[in-house]
Amino acid sequence: FFLEIGAANASMELNLCNQAVKELYLLEHDVIFYGNQKGQGLYILASGAAVYAPGSEFHQPQSDILQHHNNRRRDSFSKVLNIFGSTGDHVEDSFSVVKQTSLMSGKPEVYIAAEEFVSEQALWIRGWKYQGRLEATVESRAILLSKAEMRIVLQDYADILATAVIYARSFVSAMNEIAAANISDMPLDPSLLHLDPARSTSLPKKSSSSGPKNKGRYDKVLPSQ
């Protein structure tokens, strides 16, 4: 989608990169987001590696997040300082939290490589909350495309905004067809999108006999309400 609109309007693409994109520099074990936090936008891993652990139980109060974040950084530095005298227990402990979270959620972890993205849902779905935790596994660099800033930029490009509205409607429609147990922040299967080739504002109608599998229906973000 973004490749398409970027190719259609180079000026918009430049403004989007300048105004709506922010770079994040991450240390090992830095948490990018927790489950049940309000979605900020789409994250692209520019370099490094990360792990996505599904499950809203990973949400923590802000005070706990800060303390947990500081403890994890302290562990990383301690591992470097003690590496020559380590018996192996410390290294094992440094990976124990990720393993435990997988067992807590009952869902497998997903490893995110460079140039992969997560949480596109936050761009198009009003009130989206992250469905799991995203954590850097090595020193990494990520890019955040902010939904709020993106909407501001697109307001100045009527043709691109119209395309975004069509895409958003299709995206939300596809999300509402997914069983609640399978909802996550991972990329949506493109085959689930029902896009009209003519870019009409009307989407293909579905059979009335197949109702939505997700009882809590999502609503679109664009156009801004």
Side-chain angles (χ1 to χ4, degrees):
F1 168 76
F2 289 102
L3 290 176
E4 178 184 340
I5 63 173
N9 193 315
S11 173
M12 182 281 307
E13 183 180 36
L14 180 61
N15 286 336
L16 193 65
C17 291
N18 288 336
Q19 299 178 38
V21 171
K22 180 172 70 174
E23 285 189 289
L24 305 174
Y25 295 91
L26 308 163
L27 294 177
E28 181 184 7
H29 299 313
D30 276 356
V31 176
I32 301 170
F33 60 72
Y34 284 92
N36 211 35
Q37 285 183 319
K38 184 178 180 180
Q40 300 299 311
L42 178 147
Y43 288 92
I44 304 171
L45 195 64
S47 64
V51 62
Y52 174 76
S56 59
E57 66 270 19
F58 299 122
H59 173 69
Q60 298 182 20
Q62 289 298 320
S63 58
D64 291 344
I65 291 174
L66 180 60
Q67 182 62 42
H68 179 73
H69 175 77
N70 290 337
N71 289 341
R72 297 297 288 277
R73 285 198 171 192
R74 193 178 303 116
D75 287 344
S76 294
F77 290 129
S78 297
K79 183 171 69 175
V80 173
L81 293 174
N82 298 326
I83 190 168
F84 294 105
S86 174
T87 61
D89 293 340
H90 183 76
V91 176
E92 182 179 351
D93 290 344
S94 68
F95 295 95
S96 61
V97 174
V98 172
K99 293 178 181 178
Q100 289 170 6
T101 55
S102 177
L103 294 175
M104 288 170 58
S105 68
K107 298 180 181 179
E109 298 167 347
V110 181
Y111 290 90
I112 311 299
E115 301 184 4
E116 294 183 335
F117 66 91
V118 295
S119 72
E120 183 183 2
Q121 291 82 351
L123 294 179
W124 313 119
I125 298 174
R126 182 191 295 119
W128 179 259
K129 292 185 178 181
Y130 296 126
Q131 302 298 303
R133 187 184 68 188
L134 182 63
E135 176 181 336
T137 55
V138 297
E139 289 189 14
S140 305
R141 182 170 64 91
I143 295 172
L144 168 63
L145 174 59
S146 166
K147 66 176 181 181
E149 300 301 327
M150 182 189 74
R151 290 168 62 183
I152 293 173
V153 171
L154 294 186
Q155 294 297 328
D156 293 332
Y157 301 90
D159 55 337
I160 301 299
L161 179 61
T163 300
V165 169
I166 295 168
Y167 181 84
R169 287 173 175 170
S170 179
F171 190 97
V172 172
S173 177
M175 286 293 295
N176 281 320
E177 291 297 317
I178 299 175
N182 296 328
I183 295 294
S184 76
D185 302 287
M186 296 303 296
L188 189 64
D189 183 349
S191 67
L192 299 177
L193 297 174
H194 302 279
L195 292 172
D196 190 332
R199 294 186 179 179
S200 167
T201 54
S202 62
L203 293 170
K205 294 183 179 179
K206 294 181 172 54
S207 170
S208 59
S209 61
S210 58
K213 298 179 182 178
N214 180 15
K215 294 182 180 179
R217 291 186 62 83
Y218 296 115
D219 201 0
K220 68 179 185 300
V221 170
L222 293 174
S224 57
Q225 303 276 330

